[in-house]
Amino acid sequence: MKGTTDLNMVNAFIPGQVDLDPQMSQMIERRETLLGPAYRLMYERPLHIVKGEGVWLIDQDGNKFLDAYNNVASLGHCHPEITEAICNQVQTLATNTRYLHNMIMELADALITTVPETNLKHLMLTCSGSEANDLAFRIAKQFTDGVGIIVTETAYHGFTDAVSQFSPSLGTGVNLGTHVKTVPAPNAYHAEGVDIASKFTSDVQHAIDDFRRHGIKPAALIIDSAFTSDGILTGEPGLIAGAVEAIKQAGGIYIADEVQAGFARTGESMWGFQRHGVIPDIVTIGKPMGNGHPVAGLMVSHEVVENFGINSRYFNTFGGNTVSCAAALAVLNVIKSQDILSNANTVGTHLREGIEKLMTKYPCIGDVRGVGMFVGVELVKDRQSKQPDRELTSRVVNRMQQNQVLISACAKGHNVLKIRPPLILTKEQADLIITTLDKALAETL
Ligand code: PMP
């Protein structure tokens, strides 16, 4: 097995680091032989999962893991209503957007209804969040006649050639474009006493001014509404309003990347940007949209997409196929009928409060933050210096996995535990995450 280290993905499996049973080693080797060198596995002891059921993932030996790193099957793995909708549709018709079909219109209607405060009246469908951001950037360039894009410094927006150029969390191996400017994400924990909303506005304004100085016209500011890869910096409501205003004043558009924060995860509203009282020009969506089925897309105003529609046609073979639409419609129905939003809020708050209590016991917990079913736990060497403790973070994530609760880590210092349970989590399951974290910290410190 080749010994590669990975600085770009937190908690990537590193061959040779721990002894694995021969069957697992063989499987990993076969995978690398067949899939090549670009894929990564999570955890120092990778998991071989064979089944998913609600909040649980089950491995080949029947061990059950609480999937608290779950933002795709966010209504629970293999949700019966959603799998049924997919099966019914795939048995009836699986085809593309070149034929008239009611399903896509029903989906568009249902999604557009979730953003009544905006002019977002059109839905365009893709198969992944990366494609959605790629398309959003193309539309932004057409509308503004600009090329510059501003992102936060540890953001991830996707894997296509264009989007990877504005996904700095991919690391130094992937070049940022010369048309890309990064700004620090608004981080209240590391800027005590600073008005971080004003700071974020002035950082974005500097990026705009810098573009101008270099003769680059800005096209867009793209923000992951929960600053997920930057360390789950959900922050105070209204935090991004000044920055959004600045890009609009400069003739650029604001793209809300809701691939992580959307579909009720924040527990306060369907979309993360709604907490901030801002109006996006484009909203990109994905991940939980099909609860595991690949479906993504964007919502956009007529004005913003008009020129793009005249100059380019849009066809995506699988994007918007009838089966994906059935999956996404079923997801929306479950979110509404089972009051998922309020569960994300109440159980998420219970989870955060329980983890906050661990702060009295463990000085290495510098900060606990988040909204809804998003929790970031920042681990530091000491509370004075707030120096990131990356090694401890990695040990805790792996120890949690050994104790059968799955989480990961994020942020520039790779030192923020990223806890993103399914939105159907119960209080008892939240308590299991809290006690397992308590145990993992006790065992690793
Ligand atoms: N935007 C954000 C905020 C994401 O987290 C991701 C995926 N991690 C993407 C876009 C890309 O989505 P996908 O993996 O579906 O291409």
Side-chain angles (χ1 to χ4, degrees):
M1 225 177 275
K2 270 185 244 133
T4 51
T5 53
D6 189 338
L7 299 175
N8 299 334
M9 183 178 139
V10 192
N11 293 309
F13 161 70
I14 300 171
Q17 199 179 37
V18 295
D19 287 334
L20 299 174
D21 77 63
Q23 209 187 348
M24 175 71 75
S25 294
Q26 259 173 24
M27 199 170 176
I28 293 169
E29 222 162 299
R30 179 160 189 246
R31 187 177 125 117
E32 190 172 322
T33 306
L34 289 169
L35 307 187
Y39 283 89
R40 301 291 184 272
L41 286 162
M42 287 224 292
Y43 305 121
E44 64 182 28
R45 291 177 185 282
L47 290 170
H48 174 193
I49 299 295
V50 294
K51 191 173 162 57
E53 206 172 68
V55 302
W56 305 101
L57 284 174
I58 298 150
D59 76 5
Q60 82 284 7
D61 299 320
N63 298 310
K64 283 173 92 175
F65 294 80
L66 200 164
D67 184 4
Y69 190 55
N70 174 329
N71 71 337
V72 174
S74 81
L75 302 177
H77 292 279
C78 306
H79 192 291
E81 267 178 59
I82 296 150
T83 53
E84 193 188 346
I86 292 171
C87 289
N88 286 343
Q89 188 56 46
V90 82
Q91 285 170 354
T92 311
L93 176 70
T95 189
N96 61 52
T97 51
R98 285 202 168 122
Y99 303 99
L100 280 167
H101 200 278
N102 273 324
M103 191 79 79
I104 194 166
M105 292 186 275
E106 270 179 51
L107 176 62
D109 229 344
L111 278 167
I112 288 161
T113 313
T114 64
V115 286
E117 72 276 35
T118 70
N119 281 330
L120 304 168
K121 299 289 178 229
H122 299 313
L123 174 74
M124 295 171 80
L125 290 165
T126 63
C127 306
S128 70
S130 302
E131 279 179 57
N133 284 329
D134 194 289
L135 181 61
F137 189 40
R138 282 182 66 199
I139 294 171
K141 287 194 287 186
Q142 280 263 339
F143 177 65
T144 60
D145 205 23
V147 291
I149 183 155
I150 302 168
V151 294
T152 54
E153 65 186 3
T154 316
Y156 181 73
H157 295 291
F159 63 77
T160 69
D161 188 24
V163 180
S164 61
Q165 290 185 41
F166 59 87
S167 290
S169 74
L170 285 171
T172 49
V174 180
N175 288 338
L176 293 182
T178 49
H179 59 290
V180 178
K181 295 248 171 269
T182 63
V183 291
N187 189 329
Y189 177 60
H190 285 279
E192 247 173 286
V194 175
D195 176 353
I196 53 161
S198 302
K199 182 177 178 300
F200 189 55
T201 307
S202 80
D203 287 341
V204 168
Q205 188 58 52
H206 279 136
I208 293 167
D209 295 343
D210 214 32
F211 272 144
R212 286 265 151 76
R213 210 168 302 135
H214 292 90
I216 294 172
K217 201 169 171 197
L221 165 69
I222 182 165
I223 299 178
D224 166 345
S225 303
F227 296 100
T228 322
S229 300
D230 284 286
I232 309 187
L233 303 167
T234 40
E236 291 299 311
L239 181 66
I240 62 173
V244 168
E245 187 52 33
I247 192 69
K248 292 195 181 196
Q249 286 294 326
I253 68 163
Y254 157 48
I255 303 169
D257 182 336
E258 292 283 339
V259 170
Q260 295 238 13
F263 289 95
R265 179 147 297 268
T266 59
E268 294 172 342
S269 45
M270 183 71 165
W271 309 106
F273 74 82
Q274 288 169 322
R275 307 182 55 232
H276 293 297
V278 287
I279 307 284
D281 300 290
I282 300 181
V283 174
T284 56
I285 57 183
K287 281 189 187 275
M289 186 170 174
N291 203 52
H293 180 92
V295 50
L298 59 81
M299 291 184 279
V300 61
S301 68
H302 185 76
E303 187 198 357
V304 169
V305 77
E306 191 170 15
N307 261 343
F308 179 87
I310 292 166
N311 298 328
S312 334
R313 68 195 154 75
Y314 177 66
F315 178 65
N316 186 326
T317 302
F318 298 119
N321 74 78
T322 46
V323 180
S324 300
C325 291
L329 258 176
V331 165
L332 287 175
N333 286 339
V334 172
I335 290 177
K336 224 163 140 185
S337 66
Q338 294 177 16
D339 201 8
I340 293 296
L341 196 59
S342 85
N343 194 65
N345 193 15
T346 50
V347 180
T349 304
H350 176 79
L351 175 62
R352 225 170 356 268
E353 286 173 357
I355 295 175
E356 267 162 19
K357 286 192 190 127
L358 298 179
M359 290 182 85
T360 52
K361 212 164 152 187
Y362 302 104
C364 62
I365 303 181
D367 193 29
V368 179
R369 54 186 178 247
V371 283
M373 212 63 91
F374 249 138
V375 190
V377 182
E378 181 146 357
L379 300 184
V380 291
K381 297 221 159 121
D382 65 81
R383 286 188 188 162
Q384 236 62 47
S385 71
K386 299 181 178 175
Q387 238 189 306
D389 200 335
R390 179 179 175 165
E391 293 72 28
L392 173 66
T393 310
S394 171
R395 288 202 304 275
V396 170
V397 168
N398 282 300
R399 188 52 70 113
M400 293 279 287
Q401 181 238 20
Q402 282 148 30
N403 290 321
Q404 294 174 221
V405 173
L406 305 180
I407 61 165
S408 189
C410 60
K412 195 176 173 186
H414 295 199
N415 67 317
V416 177
L417 300 175
K418 193 186 203 181
I419 306 178
R420 261 178 341 198
L423 308 183
I424 53 159
L425 194 79
T426 62
K427 279 195 172 161
E428 293 68 35
Q429 290 159 346
D431 289 338
L432 179 61
I433 298 173
I434 299 160
T435 52
T436 309
L437 179 58
D438 187 0
K439 191 163 174 252
L441 282 163
E443 286 169 356
T444 41
L445 278 165

